[in-house]
């Protein structure tokens, strides 16, 4: 069930991310979050800012992969 920008599920984030793995718009920048790359307004060294104003932490180990995924998304989306 989703309310606003939050979804409630009995799945773990790991299993949810596995289900979303075929969709390049979704990325997990931190073990507690899955984000939709469509909603990124700013990408910093330690966080992502989403369109709704939420600041999501980014683990340094995944930052390079997040940057690659975001650039790939932007090039596919024609931005």
């Amino acid at each position: 069930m989703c309310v606003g920008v939050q979804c409630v599920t009995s799945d773990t984030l790991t299993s949810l991310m596995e289900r979303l793995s075929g969709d390049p718009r979704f990325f997990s920048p931190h073990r507690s979050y899955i984000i939709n790359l469509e909603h990124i307004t700013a990408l910093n060294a330690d966080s992502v800012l989403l369109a709704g104003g939420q600041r999501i932490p980014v683990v340094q180990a995944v930052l390079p992969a997040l940057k690659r995924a975001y650039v790939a998304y932007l090039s596919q989306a024609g931005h």
Side-chain angles (χ1 to χ4, degrees):
M1 168 179 67
C2 293
V3 178
V5 296
Q6 294 182 353
C7 294
V8 177
T9 180
S10 60
D11 288 344
T12 64
L13 283 180
T14 301
S15 66
L16 184 57
M17 194 62 208
E18 286 173 5
R19 290 191 350 208
L20 294 170
S21 66
D23 190 330
R25 295 174 300 167
F26 294 95
F27 192 90
S28 180
H30 184 280
R31 68 184 182 127
S32 300
Y33 298 92
I34 297 172
I35 61 171
N36 184 331
L37 300 178
E38 292 180 348
H39 298 283
I40 292 178
T41 59
L43 177 57
N44 303 306
D46 63 348
S47 65
V48 171
L49 184 62
L50 301 179
Q54 302 89 350
R55 187 168 299 279
I56 306 299
V58 175
V59 176
Q60 291 302 305
V62 301
L63 183 60
L66 174 56
K67 287 180 179 180
R68 285 190 303 274
Y70 189 55
V71 168
Y73 162 75
L74 290 175
S75 64
Q76 287 179 349
H79 290 98

